[in-house]
Amino acid sequence: MLVIRHGAFGDLIQCSGALADLRAFHHDARITLLTEPAYRTLMQRCPHVNAVITDARLPLRRLREQLALRRRLREQGFDFVYDLQNSDRTALYRRLFLPGIPWSRDTGTVAAGEPDVVRYQAQLTAAGVPVVHTCEPDVGWMADDATALLDAAGVRRPYIVLIPGSAARHPHKRWPHYAELAAALCERGHEVVTAPGPDELELARSIPGHTLTGPDGYLNWFQLAGALRQAAFVIGNDTGPSHLAACLGAPGLALFGPHTTPRRTGILRPHFDAVAVPDLNALSVEEVLARIEPYLTQAG
């Protein structure tokens, strides 16, 4: 059986619940995930899949690579495909790569503004799959024990994690006042931690508190998940690590500009809220502090 979900990072986090439901329903099946090369190591750890095949989503005119992917997929002998990507590209794969195989796609019954997990719920229900975990993905399987990492960095518990960055191609998602927020939190006696990705190392150096880094200069996914899972509170942009924190059960707040709605991304949880504003630059530190004030006492 094949499941298709290319990415990005936050999208794979959001589909973890659907993968859990597919595993429970197809408990004896060999489940293979088709995703992007950047997420091979991540998804090889996922307990709901048996194997990972990568697809770089090269231009379709790259005929040699497309034929190689088609050959590899056909060699697997799949008897069913769950297309959680639901893109024009995967529609072509259905016609050109794996014709004649039963294929589950978006039912078209879910409004465009709904989160992906609601679309997955409709899609799996239509395919006869009982839905238990889809709408509440849990990625605890991703988290390493971060105790040694935090101790080595001198991080006292409890601590607050700030996620000040986003992918470099999405600078409009970055709230620009994390340095001022960190300074205010430190003045109040809170332990502040940032865990920058490869696009955010320079940004993190300007923020007071502890910066967690790994051998490559930044934490891998499993170290990051471990640090987020132990956090007393998380404040971040609309970016993969914020979605990761929400699906790990960490309490937190995400900061959104006008690019999308918090509901559409699926980040909202009973313990994880969001604030959406027309202009992130105009969102003040005082407004964010007021929003998280009820949690600060619990955070230490």
Side-chain angles (χ1 to χ4, degrees), residues 126-212:
V129 178
V131 173
V132 177
H133 306 289
T134 294
C135 290
E136 296 183 1
D138 179 353
V139 290
W141 54 266
M142 195 186 299
D144 281 347
D145 183 355
T147 301
L149 176 73
L150 294 165
D151 289 345
V155 177
R156 295 179 289 108
R157 281 66 146 186
Y159 59 91
I160 297 171
V161 174
L162 304 183
I163 303 172
S166 65
R169 65 183 182 278
H170 297 310
H172 57 282
K173 293 185 176 184
R174 296 187 177 189
W175 183 56
H177 307 304
Y178 279 99
E180 296 93 325
L181 176 63
L185 291 171
C186 290
E187 288 176 5
R188 294 176 177 218
H190 296 289
E191 191 83 338
V192 175
V193 169
T194 58
D199 295 333
E200 303 145 16
L201 292 171
E202 190 63 34
L203 173 62
R205 294 189 182 99
S206 68
I207 297 175
H210 301 273
T211 301
L212 297 182

Side-chain angles (χ1 to χ4, degrees), residues 68-86:
L69 177 60
R70 183 182 71 169
R71 182 171 59 252
R72 186 170 186 195
L73 292 175
R74 290 186 173 185
E75 288 172 351
Q76 304 299 312
F78 298 122
D79 58 4
F80 201 94
V81 178
Y82 289 95
D83 182 2
L84 301 184
Q85 188 69 27
N86 286 295

Side-chain angles (χ1 to χ4, degrees), residues 39-54:
Y39 307 115
R40 177 199 291 272
T41 301
L42 171 67
M43 298 311 294
Q44 282 177 330
R45 182 184 282 203
C46 177
H48 314 310
V49 303
N50 302 100
V52 176
I53 295 177
T54 59

Side-chain angles (χ1 to χ4, degrees), residues 145-299:
D145 183 355
T147 301
L149 176 73
L150 294 165
D151 289 345
V155 177
R156 295 179 289 108
R157 281 66 146 186
Y159 59 91
I160 297 171
V161 174
L162 304 183
I163 303 172
S166 65
R169 65 183 182 278
H170 297 310
H172 57 282
K173 293 185 176 184
R174 296 187 177 189
W175 183 56
H177 307 304
Y178 279 99
E180 296 93 325
L181 176 63
L185 291 171
C186 290
E187 288 176 5
R188 294 176 177 218
H190 296 289
E191 191 83 338
V192 175
V193 169
T194 58
D199 295 333
E200 303 145 16
L201 292 171
E202 190 63 34
L203 173 62
R205 294 189 182 99
S206 68
I207 297 175
H210 301 273
T211 301
L212 297 182
T213 58
D216 297 320
Y218 53 91
L219 303 186
N220 63 36
W221 285 303
F222 313 120
Q223 294 166 327
L224 173 63
L228 290 173
R229 185 164 64 174
Q230 294 186 36
F233 200 76
V234 177
I235 307 162
N237 301 321
D238 173 24
T239 187
S242 298
H243 290 268
L244 175 58
C247 291
L248 285 166
L253 180 73
L255 311 180
F256 280 71
H259 58 278
T260 189
T261 65
R263 175 168 173 75
R264 173 66 185 84
T265 67
I267 200 170
L268 299 175
R269 295 284 185 277
H271 56 275
F272 206 101
D273 204 355
V275 55
V277 294
D279 181 2
L280 273 176
N281 293 320
L283 178 63
S284 70
V285 171
E286 290 73 24
E287 289 175 279
V288 173
L289 285 170
R291 186 65 178 263
I292 65 175
E293 186 69 39
Y295 304 97
L296 293 183
T297 301
Q298 301 174 35

